[in-house]
Amino acid sequence: MAGEVSPLPHYPFNPKRGMMDFKEVTCCRICSSNRLEKYLDLGKVPLANALVLPTNKYSKVYPLEVLLCGDCALSQLSIVINPEILYTDYPYRSSVSETFKTHCKNLALILKSMYQGNNFPTVLDIASNDNCLLKEFGNLGFGVLGVEPAKNLDMFERIDLDKVTVDDLIPVVNRFWSEQTALDMLTMNIRPNRGRDFITAQNILAHVNDVYDFLKGVKHQLDKKGIFVVEVPYLVDLFTKNQFDTIYHEHLSYFLFKPLKELFEFNGLPIFKVEHYDIHGGSLRLYASPCPYEIDPSVQRQIDFEKSNGYFNFETYKQFAERVNQSRKDLTILLKSLYNGGQKVMGYGASAKGISLLNYASMDSRYIHSIVDETPAKQGKLTPGSNIPIVDFSHFEKVSPDYLLLLAWNFEEELRRKTSHLKAKYIIPIPDLKVSN
Ligand code: DWN
């Protein structure tokens, strides 16, 4: 029933250490295998989005290790951080990036073209953040609803499941997505009679520990002919473009397509089409439905691609780990040499990946003067671990850096366009460290 139903799995209480804020992974979250083998260890680092105040620079650190399942080839972290800690006070805002907003507009147009009904289509967006995607659906006449757990996103009306007040703003159920949340929404009649035509989930599935519970929730809310559209970062891009900075505690899983196909089929949501997009460094978009839509050739093509490129061979993972360790050293050497040469370096984009990268390379405010980020919720705070000040755009003029380290390299074009008036050189850390004008 509605109310404060915690979606959290049990986090063992240890009286000597207080309530545990994480738990160990003992089996694969997709196939339950215990054949988990570590292939990457990035040490103990703080939570990437746990920004700190100048008055309290302490950041708790946690192990960051990636394990490969010997049965289904899912890559996954060795621990799960309590999601209440990660997402209740969440600084990330999707809409800061024009690139991502355009990506969302294109997705909404594609789904509108796929809709075959004869009235207004409805869409539920899971982890709707600041409604970056839902606004695009709303502009196209969709009936929209979000589900978002963060308590510090105050751009939209929230639905308190104890007293539903759906108004013409974008209504958002302020809860973690789970089967229980989906059932509570049914109890409160927050579901069109015929179920939702679309459910979207961008960059959330990799953050979820109990993916079976997540998909059961989708089944409760999706129409029998509805389409579930999921976007996830793709492990092949992570490896081929050396995007090791995207490995941090929010990302519990690093997906190949094959384990996802098996997971969705087991849960009665077979994937009938898969596409690749460059957004966020490289993502897969999956189209799934309980309805037996014709299976697009892209599905088998993706499986064949992963097999023929060695992603079911442990050697591939060992080679990636060697490349990561070299990349960390290269960045440290460059930033230290610039520091010793009296050069002033600023970061651009206090992204979770960028904060992680600086911690892997043990870089702090000695080497990086400050980081510009245009997310108001991040400004005035310090990066966890490295304790680098996060400042607003005006600081580029005030500081006049010699170098700009693009920590949001996935938006390189957008960042370059906005700073072309500066005289600084650019440091692009990923896929391979390079300095350019
Ligand atoms: O999966 C996730 C992705 C989708 O978003 C989450 N776990 C957390 C987050 O990861 P991230 O922080 O690495 O994402 P971004 O979108 O690469 O972060 C970009 C950062 O740069 C944001 O803090 C916004 C900032 N930014 C800016 O200040 N000016 C970005 C652009 C494009 C700009 O023009």
Side-chain angles (χ1 to χ4, degrees):
M1 188 51 196
E4 285 314 300
V5 173
S6 168
L8 303 181
H10 172 66
Y11 286 82
F13 184 84
N14 177 327
K16 291 180 184 159
R17 295 175 57 185
M19 210 281 267
M20 297 289 276
D21 42 13
F22 70 94
K23 66 178 205 166
E24 306 284 339
V25 169
T26 54
C27 66
C28 174
R29 68 172 48 86
I30 285 187
C31 73
S32 301
S33 167
N34 56 15
R35 292 177 56 218
L36 299 177
E37 188 163 0
K38 182 165 71 175
Y39 65 86
L40 185 61
D41 184 346
L42 289 166
K44 291 190 180 221
V45 293
L47 305 178
N49 269 316
L51 308 183
V52 298
L53 295 172
T55 51
N56 173 18
K57 296 185 178 182
Y58 169 72
S59 297
K60 187 170 182 182
V61 295
Y62 302 85
L64 192 57
E65 305 162 320
V66 189
L67 315 176
L68 177 69
C69 173
D71 285 321
C72 77
L74 177 70
S75 285
Q76 50 208 296
L77 297 189
S78 63
I79 63 170
V80 174
I81 301 289
N82 182 330
E84 294 274 9
I85 294 173
L86 290 173
Y87 304 115
T88 301
D89 181 18
Y90 197 55
Y92 182 73
R93 301 288 183 275
S94 302
S95 299
V96 173
S97 163
E98 290 302 325
T99 307
F100 189 70
K101 287 200 287 192
T102 302
H103 176 79
C104 291
K105 183 171 186 174
N106 293 337
L107 171 57
L109 288 167
I110 288 169
L111 298 196
K112 179 79 182 283
S113 69
M114 290 176 73
Y115 178 63
Q116 295 171 347
N118 49 21
N119 42 36
F120 286 121
T122 60
V123 62
L124 165 67
D125 186 34
I126 299 173
S128 47
N129 194 266
D130 60 1
N131 291 338
C132 184
L133 177 59
L134 285 176
K135 287 171 187 166
E136 300 302 339
F137 282 116
N139 293 338
L140 295 177
F142 279 66
V144 294
L145 176 67
V147 177
E148 169 57 51
K151 303 289 185 196
N152 63 326
L153 285 155
D154 50 8
M155 292 84 161
F156 42 81
E157 185 60 34
R158 292 194 183 102
I159 291 181
D160 182 330
L161 283 181
D162 289 325
K163 49 186 187 312
V164 174
T165 56
V166 179
D167 59 23
D168 59 359
L169 290 179
I170 295 180
V172 177
V173 173
N174 194 207
R175 286 267 287 276
F176 283 92
W177 181 256
S178 65
E179 183 179 23
Q180 187 64 57
T181 294
L183 290 171
D184 289 348
M185 289 166 65
L186 291 182
T187 307
M188 302 307 289
N189 291 320
I190 302 178
R191 177 188 191 275
N193 298 334
R194 54 189 167 76
R196 307 223 175 255
D197 300 302
F198 298 98
I199 294 180
T200 50
Q202 288 181 307
N203 302 303
I204 179 61
L205 195 61
H207 300 62
V208 173
N209 183 39
D210 188 342
V211 289
Y212 286 83
D213 180 75
F214 188 96
L215 294 181
K216 285 176 190 168
V218 170
K219 288 287 289 295
H220 290 307
Q221 284 284 333
L222 187 64
D223 184 57
K224 61 185 182 304
K225 290 188 175 180
I227 298 176
F228 179 39
V229 184
V230 181
E231 289 185 355
V232 292
Y234 190 29
L235 181 123
V236 170
D237 291 291
L238 194 162
F239 275 39
T240 54
K241 301 175 197 169
N242 195 31
Q243 298 169 352
F244 65 96
D245 56 345
T246 62
I247 297 171
Y248 48 87
H249 295 102
E250 292 180 19
H251 295 165
L252 301 179
S253 300
Y254 301 84
F255 290 121
L256 285 172
F257 177 68
K258 177 176 174 291
L260 282 170
K261 178 175 180 292
E262 292 163 0
L263 170 70
F264 276 60
E265 277 169 4
F266 184 88
N267 285 277
L269 284 166
I271 296 169
F272 62 87
K273 188 163 100 173
V274 55
E275 295 170 335
H276 182 274
Y277 287 85
D278 290 336
I279 197 67
H280 281 302
S283 303
L284 288 184
R285 178 182 291 166
L286 316 174
Y287 299 81
S289 175
C291 177
Y293 291 120
E294 184 184 347
I295 304 295
D296 184 90
S298 60
V299 170
Q300 190 54 49
R301 222 173 22 239
Q302 205 68 42
I303 298 284
D304 295 343
F305 169 81
E306 291 175 353
K307 184 171 176 52
S308 60
N309 284 274
Y311 286 95
F312 306 130
N313 176 343
F314 193 70
E315 190 56 33
T316 305
Y317 296 81
K318 283 169 60 180
Q319 289 168 6
F320 172 68
E322 288 162 12
R323 186 179 180 191
V324 169
N325 289 322
Q326 187 54 52
S327 300
R328 291 163 72 177
K329 291 173 188 163
D330 294 347
L331 180 62
T332 304
I333 291 166
L334 172 66
L335 293 177
K336 284 187 173 176
S337 68
L338 292 175
Y339 169 74
N340 294 330
Q343 299 297 291
K344 197 175 293 180
V345 180
M346 284 179 78
Y348 193 178
S351 59
K353 64 172 88 56
I355 290 167
S356 302
L357 181 66
L358 293 173
N359 279 319
Y360 305 155
S362 307
M363 291 289 100
D364 57 28
S365 54
R366 286 174 293 170
Y367 306 99
I368 309 290
H369 175 277
S370 52
I371 300 172
V372 166
D373 195 294
E374 291 156 279
T375 313
K378 297 190 175 185
Q379 293 165 358
K381 295 182 179 157
L382 304 179
T383 57
S386 43
N387 288 326
I388 299 168
I390 301 171
V391 297
D392 66 32
F393 194 86
S394 68
H395 282 72
F396 278 139
E397 301 286 350
K398 292 171 187 168
V399 175
S400 183
D402 302 300
Y403 290 86
L404 281 193
L405 173 60
L406 298 190
L407 294 170
W409 44 263
N410 46 319
F411 299 126
E412 179 179 350
E413 186 187 326
E414 189 173 351
L415 301 185
R416 279 179 175 269
R417 193 169 57 242
K418 296 166 82 168
T419 54
S420 56
H421 61 292
L422 301 176
K423 296 179 176 52
K425 290 189 177 179
Y426 293 99
I427 303 170
I428 299 95
I430 301 291
D432 295 301
L433 186 60
K434 71 177 181 191
V435 179
S436 75
N437 290 318

